[in-house]
């Protein structure tokens, strides 16, 4: 199913607020879905037609120190530091929210340029 670029969908058919877009990143068709749940944002980025590496990111706050950001790989490639850096950048951007982030990156290209373009696209189409 082809989803129009920059379409926001929500309503009685799907009760979770979400946004879907499809774009070309470095020559690869990239589908992005951002969903906003009560306590978590779910971000799915797919170039390979499946979910790929799944990461969890959250902000830990303390009264006595600056917030810290934790990223962990739930499933998939654990030896890809750029994927973890991507998740960390995104959780830092949503730091005004108390929600955590679950991110799925099913990518053909794991280059720094591709991940930067993904971060820009998500921030431009954010739900927070």
């Amino acid at each position: 199913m082809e989803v129009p670029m920059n379409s926001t969908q929500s309503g009685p058919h799907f009760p979770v607020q979400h946004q879907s877009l499809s774009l070309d990143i470095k020559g690869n068709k990239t589908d992005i879905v951002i969903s906003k749940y009560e306590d978590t944002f779910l971000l799915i980025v797919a170039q390979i037609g499946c979910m790929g590496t799944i990461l969890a990111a959250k902000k830990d706050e303390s009264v006595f120190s600056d917030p810290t950001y934790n990223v962990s790989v739930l499933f998939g490639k654990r030896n890809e530091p750029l994927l973890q850096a991507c998740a960390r950048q995104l959780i830092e951007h949503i730091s005004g929210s108390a929600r955590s982030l679950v991110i799925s990156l099913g990518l053909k290209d794991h280059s720094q340029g591709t991940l930067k373009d993904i971060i820009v696209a998500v921030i431009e189409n954010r739900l927070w």
Side-chain angles (χ1 to χ4, degrees):
M1 179 174 105
E2 203 55 40
V3 176
M5 191 160 161
N6 295 331
S7 68
T8 301
Q9 302 167 354
S10 105
H13 295 95
F14 192 66
V16 175
Q17 182 183 0
H18 70 285
Q19 183 156 338
S20 303
L21 59 138
S22 193
L23 54 135
D24 183 272
I25 296 180
K26 306 281 189 257
N28 292 307
K29 180 182 181 279
T30 306
D31 296 312
I32 299 175
V33 177
I34 307 165
S35 300
K36 181 179 179 181
Y37 293 87
E38 186 174 325
D39 62 346
T40 305
F41 287 103
L42 172 64
L43 171 64
I44 301 172
V45 182
Q47 294 177 334
I48 58 174
C50 62
M51 291 189 65
T53 300
I54 300 173
L55 303 107
K58 67 178 183 169
K59 176 175 87 169
D60 291 325
E61 294 190 78
S62 171
V63 176
F64 303 108
S65 66
D66 293 333
T68 57
Y69 301 93
N70 296 310
V71 176
S72 58
V73 177
L74 301 177
F75 299 103
K77 297 185 177 192
R78 297 187 185 279
N79 60 348
E80 293 277 347
L82 287 177
L83 297 182
Q84 292 183 21
C86 177
R88 181 178 172 85
Q89 287 228 332
L90 289 170
I91 192 66
E92 287 178 8
H93 276 284
I94 65 171
S95 65
S97 171
R99 290 177 172 88
S100 61
L101 173 69
V102 175
I103 180 172
S104 169
L105 297 169
L107 306 175
K108 291 180 183 177
D109 177 13
H110 293 183
S111 70
Q112 186 174 359
T114 294
L115 293 170
K116 281 183 179 181
D117 289 350
I118 289 168
I119 291 167
V120 168
V122 170
I123 291 169
E124 288 175 355
N125 295 282
R126 65 183 172 256
L127 290 176
W128 51 87

